[in-house]
């Protein structure tokens, strides 16, 4: 089982992801530079947070047009796992692996805070070690986390139970309080909160660990809780 | 050939930045302003291309990169 963290120029949560997986969860993990083409060796690809390509034009727009994202699309089409956290979520919506878009926060401010997140659905590779309705705390740090989608998309997200995480006390104006969604096939996750920043007890919060543990259980072919 | 591409948020998408600027304009004496929407203007030099080719290229550029058609609309103007 191998995790790969894609590093774009401007990614800045890549090291946090690496630390969480390697040190806290004892997993095999490698950085993947953004001009790499072959990512066949990896079971789970992580698109980390940050400001890829300076967030020029739109957050994630430049990263979405890189060669490696073609490989990530193929990886996802094979049913393998992809997670986009924060800027990674923005990249996944820009390439169309997830529906909707992330626009400027309602209050126009960059929000760096702890968000209160409710687990809406546990039937996914990313949430199977959590409880439905469970409340966890996860850090957020974004200026464009305000999720929008048209009515049809929202209807589908609800019907297929693709909304995995919602905010309690919506910080950014996201429609339906959405903090994280998966695709219809349930192998691609996008979320604005940072689980990788909540895995080390010394930093005061390990609520994010259960998300990575869910992925590990899923990849090991294990049962959900 | 030179071109200008205008990218704006769709009507259905809230524009918090526009709303804030509208509030400011109202406050500094332009009380009649009812709505402000903020978009982007992108100026390009396309080099030596025919008009039809330029239009086709611009459409592709907008669809692929310059606009996110989930939330934005685009239009462009060609200048000789």
């Amino acid at each position: 089982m191998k995790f790969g963290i894609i590093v774009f120029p401007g990614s800045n949560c890549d090291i946090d992801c690496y630390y969480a997986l390697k040190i806290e969860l004892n997993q095999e993990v490698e950085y993947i530079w953004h001009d790499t083409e072959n990512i066949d060796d990896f079971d789970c690809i992580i698109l980390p947070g940050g400001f890829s390509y300076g967030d020029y034009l739109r957050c994630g727009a430049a990263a979405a047009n890189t060669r490696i994202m073609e490989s990530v699309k193929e990886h996802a089409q094979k049913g393998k796992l992809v997670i986009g956290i924060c800027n990674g979520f923005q990249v996944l919506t820009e390439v169309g692996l997830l529906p909707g878009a992330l626009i400027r926060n309602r209050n126009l401010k960059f929000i760096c805070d702890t968000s209160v997140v409710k687990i809406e659905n546990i039937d996914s590779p990313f949430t199977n070690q959590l409880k439905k309705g469970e409340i966890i705390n996860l850090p957020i740090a974004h200026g464009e986390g305000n999720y929008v989608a048209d009515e049809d998309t929202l209807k589908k997200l609800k019907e297929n139970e693709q909304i995995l995480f919602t905010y309690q006390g919506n910080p950014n104006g996201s429609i339906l309080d959405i903090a994280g969604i998966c695709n219809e096939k349930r192998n691609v996750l996008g979320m604005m909160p940072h689980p990788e920043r909540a895995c080390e007890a010394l930093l005061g919060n390990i609520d994010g660990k259960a998300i990575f543990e869910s992925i590990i259980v899923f990849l090991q072919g294990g049962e959900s809780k | 050939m030179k071109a200008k591409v205008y990218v704006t948020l769709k009507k259905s998408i809230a524009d918090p930045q526009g709303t804030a600027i509208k509030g400011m304009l109202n406050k500094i004496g332009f009380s009649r302003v009812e709505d402000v929407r903020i978009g982007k203007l992108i100026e390009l030099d396309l080099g030596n291309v025919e008009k039809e080719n330029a239009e086709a290229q611009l459409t592709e550029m907008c669809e692929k990169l310059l606009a996110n058609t989930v939330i934005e609309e685009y239009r462009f103007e060609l200048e000789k």
Side-chain angles (χ1 to χ4, degrees), chain A residues 7-221:
Chain A
V7 184
F8 294 108
S11 295
N12 68 9
C13 298
D14 42 340
I15 300 172
D16 304 66
C17 288
Y18 188 94
Y19 183 95
L21 285 160
K22 187 85 174 180
I23 310 293
E24 291 298 321
L25 292 144
N26 201 24
Q27 296 301 304
E28 199 182 340
V29 54
E30 272 179 32
Y31 295 115
I32 309 171
W33 189 236
H34 63 97
D35 61 1
T36 309
E37 288 185 16
N38 189 331
I39 55 169
D40 291 348
D41 281 355
F42 299 94
D43 300 290
C44 179
I45 294 292
I46 299 179
L47 297 165
F51 301 86
S52 56
Y53 300 91
D55 273 354
Y56 293 161
L57 193 63
R58 293 181 309 279
C59 306
N65 281 280
T66 52
R67 174 63 188 81
I68 199 166
M69 286 312 297
E70 292 302 314
S71 304
V72 172
K73 278 191 233 172
E74 287 162 23
H75 175 95
Q77 271 154 17
K78 288 178 198 158
K80 293 165 105 180
L81 302 184
V82 180
I83 319 173
I85 301 164
C86 198
N87 190 227
F89 187 8
Q90 294 161 343
V91 176
L92 289 175
T93 59
E94 281 281 340
V95 292
L97 280 172
L98 290 172
L102 294 141
I103 62 167
R104 184 74 73 91
N105 293 343
R106 180 175 46 193
N107 66 359
L108 296 172
K109 287 179 182 161
F110 187 97
I111 305 169
C112 187
D113 205 348
T114 299
S115 65
V116 181
V117 173
K118 185 179 172 192
I119 313 303
E120 293 289 340
N121 201 288
I122 56 166
D123 177 22
S124 84
F126 316 104
T127 49
N128 61 60
Q129 297 301 299
L130 288 144
K131 292 189 201 81
K132 192 177 168 83
E134 190 175 345
I135 305 289
I136 62 174
N137 292 309
L138 291 178
I140 49 169
H142 59 247
E144 284 88 2
N146 183 349
Y147 184 81
V148 293
D150 60 32
E151 282 302 318
D152 281 353
T153 305
L154 293 173
K155 197 169 157 239
K156 274 187 204 152
L157 288 177
K158 280 193 270 188
E159 277 173 9
N160 301 328
E161 303 192 313
Q162 287 169 250
I163 301 168
L164 302 186
F165 307 105
T166 56
Y167 299 110
Q168 302 279 292
N170 191 334
N172 55 25
S174 270
I175 199 151
L176 302 176
D177 302 327
I178 285 172
I181 57 168
C182 67
N183 63 341
E184 210 176 329
K185 276 167 69 185
R186 309 189 92 70
N187 63 318
V188 179
L189 165 73
M191 62 190 298
M192 289 313 294
H194 288 273
E196 81 282 9
R197 294 192 192 175
C199 287
E200 160 64 82
L202 271 176
L203 297 178
N205 179 4
I206 55 163
D207 283 2
K209 231 171 163 176
I211 291 165
F212 295 109
E213 283 164 352
S214 297
I215 296 165
I216 294 163
V217 167
F218 175 85
L219 289 174
Q220 284 169 341

